[in-house]
Amino acid sequence: MDSSLKKNIFTHGLALVGFFIVTVLMFYPQFFSDKSLSQHDILQGKGGNHQMIEYREQTGEEALWMNSQFSGMPAYLNGVQYSGDILNYVYKSFTLGLGHPRGIIFVSCVSFYILLLVFGVRPWIAFIGAITFTLNGFNVIGILAGHNAKIAAVALMPLIVAGSHLAFKKKWLIGFSLAALGLALQLRTGHFQITYYTMLILVVYGIHQLIQAVKGNNIKPFAAAAIGLIVAAVIGIGTNAGKLWTTYEYSKVSIRGKSELKATGNQSGGLDRDYAFEFSNGIMEPLFLFIPNVFGGASNQELSKTSATAEALKKAGYGPAQIRDQIKSMPTYWGDQRLSAPYYAGTFVVVLFVIGLFVLSRQHKIWLVILVTLGILLSWGSNFSSVNDLLFDYLPMYNKFRSVTFAIIISLFALNLIAFQAMEKLFTLEWNKEQVNKILRALAIPAGFALLLILIAGMFSYKGSIDDRLPEWLVSAIRDDRASLLRKDAFRALFFISVFSALVWAHVKNKLSANLAVAALLLVLFVDVFLLSKRFIKAEAFVKSPVESYFKPTEADKYISENSRSGDRVLNLQNPFNEARTSYYHESLGGYHGAKIRRYQDLIERGISPEMSRMLQKLQKGKRDFTGLPAINMLNTRFIMAGNKRETVLENPQALGNAWVVSNIIPAESPDEELQKTTTINPMLSAVVDASKFELPELSASSMGTVEVLSRKPNEITYKASITGGDALAVFSEIYYNNGWTAFIDGKEEDILRANYVLRALPLAEGNHEIKFTFTPKSYFVGNTIMLICGILVLVMFVGGVANSISKSALSKTNQENPTL
């Protein structure tokens, strides 16, 4: 084997080992004990998905429809597996089989390492650059919160950009194949908001390349790269055809789609503006990229035992144990948002970014500076409405996503890419007086800013939105601690800038070799971001069996499970529409999901929530009266959970069951009228149907009958019905969804009507019938086939691209050694 190839393999292999060690350091309690990271959103996801997973394990089939949340909804965004997803095995290998969240750290390191190598950064600088990017605040805090899909998508973002850059460098096959593979893997994470931000990065990069091509009269190579990348993108998208197709279908009727109600005012086909911009950074808040605690850090942070708050609690009579508990989570954040997280980049990244502005050529930095600016601007959301309102209204697909603070990942990506190109530049510069002055001016900017913050820290109010709800003696202490947090982080930044300056000076003065200088900088860079990341992913965040502890069945759970039948639903009165613990064991009216069916959300707002209030008023008066609750009763709410004890479970005798028969249809001419009438009828006797969308059947006023469940599975339900006295309408306590559900009456396919705004209904003739509903969405089954074909194409492309790249490198070296060949 060629010696240079051996050296490259050894170097990159050592980097991979280093990335694994970093992964172990971040998650050592999970590697060396039986503890796991307790992640809120992951626990909620497991609650919603548990019954689906059980069904898969018991039958080997996929539950495409889930009954455990919001009375029923498509399961596409809840962990449905696709048989055509052969890249699943590639992704598992990429994560070393560690799974989420541990494997995400490794994937992110490798991806950004490849990106920096592609942009000409030497391996050891690329190594620390990859770690620094991976341990940024966005990733670390996201993992702690359980946003595994989001951070996994971020981890794959560099691969897509690296492949695109290779393509524009005329390394066609490896570039196209790497971009296709990166996009394919990113899309399979299912976090399309990050894919959207990746697209914005590529648009800015593509425009930059176009400008360079026009200036250099290289339009043909640009066109070849652009066309090839588009083809690669189509193939990459094809590997996720089933996921994307089903999601697209569902999005049109989810809260991401257009509202049918005129009264809502949201006819845009996206999220409500206020909902989308609920979390928007304040104008000065992106300073957390440099000084994490500039606005107090996270919404709630742990304070030290020597903090002003701890001292105030002691003076107020709190005991040592109480003080320890209290200071673990104090409202240190004093910005404008309800909740916040400091998505830091790290001191050195910001310092190197500033240096990059001085030492990198315009061609290398301009598009990245634009991205840094764009990410900050988008993260401002409602606080920069003059621009963001226009983008929300007119930028395609932008109104489908919320929490615009996530857009700061665009800035973090660009900051790191500039930073480590700048570090590479530092070790290739021919040092002279002009270059030294440039670096000094660059270092003076972040150092001066950190010093200024220290000097003027006492001038800020440190007033937080929560302060009005706290006693004055405690508020005063917390504000002192907020000021202290800012000063400490500013001093911290100043210290690291001083260390950085000293190392660069030693190298310039030939007191430190380039290798030693790089090694020292790598160590200090690692210390910077690693210590920041450990502010959040602490040893205490790892607990024994978090899933078992969180979902340990209560007396209430056991009683309901022992006494319920399939289709009996549960309403948990404790925050029902923002928790999925109930869904772990029961079919819940509520749940935890960012893409509910919009009509069901309408029913929650106009029907279920007002009925809950009326029911609670009755219960507080000692009346167990469940009449006059049409929405709750038609959803077959058999059990009401008011707590975890057996005695807190209320049984509802008015629940209408899995299905029933009515002889009267109340027509509606619009969705608004349909919903209004649904919330006022007696659903046992009548059903509301939108006459503008469905043909109303003729019913006999004397008809009556029964409908009983014979079998009920996620993808198939079978009933038997007995109708007397003429034609009737059977109403089923199952959520209406027109993309995949098919109804058969005595083996003959029939159209499904929508009744009572969200339910299914079928007209039945007099007599006995067998009714079957099956859920066989074309988007899932055809999409699976497309996924398989495109997955094979991507793998063939990638293997061919790698082989071609290796052979070209070998040929190039042979030609250099034997110029006569």
Side-chain angles (χ1 to χ4, degrees), residues 611-672:
E611 289 177 17
M612 282 175 58
S613 297
R614 295 201 299 270
M615 180 174 59
L616 285 169
Q617 289 173 4
K618 292 179 182 178
L619 291 173
Q620 287 167 358
K621 295 177 181 178
K623 298 179 180 179
R624 294 198 176 191
D625 180 8
F626 299 101
T627 59
L629 307 174
I632 288 175
N633 290 333
M634 75 181 190
L635 292 172
N636 194 26
T637 311
R638 183 72 62 185
F639 299 95
I640 313 292
M641 273 178 58
N644 295 327
K645 300 294 184 181
R646 157 66 188 93
E647 58 269 21
T648 62
V649 177
L650 309 177
E651 294 190 50
N652 176 16
Q654 300 298 321
L656 295 181
N658 290 304
W660 59 96
V661 171
V662 299
S663 58
N664 180 46
I665 292 179
I666 301 174
E669 296 298 331
S670 70
D672 291 87

Side-chain angles (χ1 to χ4, degrees), residues 697-708:
E698 293 185 7
L699 307 180
S700 171
S702 60
S703 63
M704 54 192 305
T706 59
V707 181
E708 297 178 17

Side-chain angles (χ1 to χ4, degrees), residues 45-60:
K46 287 184 180 297
N49 299 349
H50 177 66
Q51 293 183 32
M52 291 172 52
I53 295 170
E54 277 192 328
Y55 182 76
R56 180 188 300 138
E57 292 173 348
Q58 292 168 2
T59 67

Side-chain angles (χ1 to χ4, degrees), residues 542-594:
F542 294 85
V543 297
K544 241 181 180 181
S545 307
V547 174
E548 287 79 0
S549 300
Y550 187 73
F551 294 109
K552 185 178 180 180
T554 64
E555 292 178 17
D557 292 322
K558 291 176 182 177
Y559 176 80
I560 294 172
S561 297
E562 290 167 1
N563 292 277
S564 63
R565 298 161 297 180
S566 179
D568 286 349
R569 297 198 179 96
V570 177
L571 174 59
N572 187 341
L573 297 179
Q574 300 171 322
N575 197 26
F577 307 116
N578 283 292
E579 66 84 30
R581 189 196 171 284
T582 306
S583 302
Y584 191 86
Y585 294 106
H586 319 296
E587 296 188 29
S588 175
L589 262 69
Y592 186 86
H593 203 280

Side-chain angles (χ1 to χ4, degrees), residues 439-624:
I439 302 303
L440 289 175
R441 289 197 299 271
L443 289 171
I445 293 173
F449 181 75
L451 182 60
L452 179 65
L453 279 178
I454 293 168
L455 294 174
I456 67 172
M459 299 172 61
F460 302 122
S461 71
Y462 299 101
K463 183 178 180 181
S465 58
I466 196 174
D467 292 359
D468 293 339
R469 288 175 275 169
L470 301 174
E472 188 175 339
W473 60 268
L474 184 57
V475 168
S476 178
I478 290 173
R479 289 179 182 175
D480 287 343
D481 285 325
R482 289 168 180 164
S484 176
L485 288 170
L486 188 154
R487 287 194 190 94
K488 285 178 181 177
D489 262 7
F491 270 118
R492 181 184 187 279
L494 199 57
F495 168 76
F496 278 118
I497 293 169
S498 301
V499 172
F500 179 89
S501 303
L503 289 171
V504 173
W505 178 85
H507 172 62
V508 171
K509 294 297 183 179
N510 294 318
K511 296 181 182 296
L512 205 62
S513 69
N515 287 339
L516 281 176
V518 169
L521 282 171
L522 296 187
L523 177 61
V524 180
L525 276 162
F526 176 75
V527 169
D528 179 20
V529 295
F530 186 77
L531 291 180
L532 282 174
S533 67
K534 280 300 178 181
R535 288 184 181 182
F536 298 95
I537 302 184
K538 305 175 185 178
E540 307 91 83
F542 294 85
V543 297
K544 241 181 180 181
S545 307
V547 174
E548 287 79 0
S549 300
Y550 187 73
F551 294 109
K552 185 178 180 180
T554 64
E555 292 178 17
D557 292 322
K558 291 176 182 177
Y559 176 80
I560 294 172
S561 297
E562 290 167 1
N563 292 277
S564 63
R565 298 161 297 180
S566 179
D568 286 349
R569 297 198 179 96
V570 177
L571 174 59
N572 187 341
L573 297 179
Q574 300 171 322
N575 197 26
F577 307 116
N578 283 292
E579 66 84 30
R581 189 196 171 284
T582 306
S583 302
Y584 191 86
Y585 294 106
H586 319 296
E587 296 188 29
S588 175
L589 262 69
Y592 186 86
H593 203 280
K596 299 186 285 288
I597 291 176
R598 182 176 281 279
R599 277 184 167 254
Y600 194 82
Q601 179 62 31
D602 295 339
L603 188 67
I604 289 173
E605 294 172 3
R606 309 282 185 88
I608 300 172
S609 292
E611 289 177 17
M612 282 175 58
S613 297
R614 295 201 299 270
M615 180 174 59
L616 285 169
Q617 289 173 4
K618 292 179 182 178
L619 291 173
Q620 287 167 358
K621 295 177 181 178
K623 298 179 180 179
R624 294 198 176 191

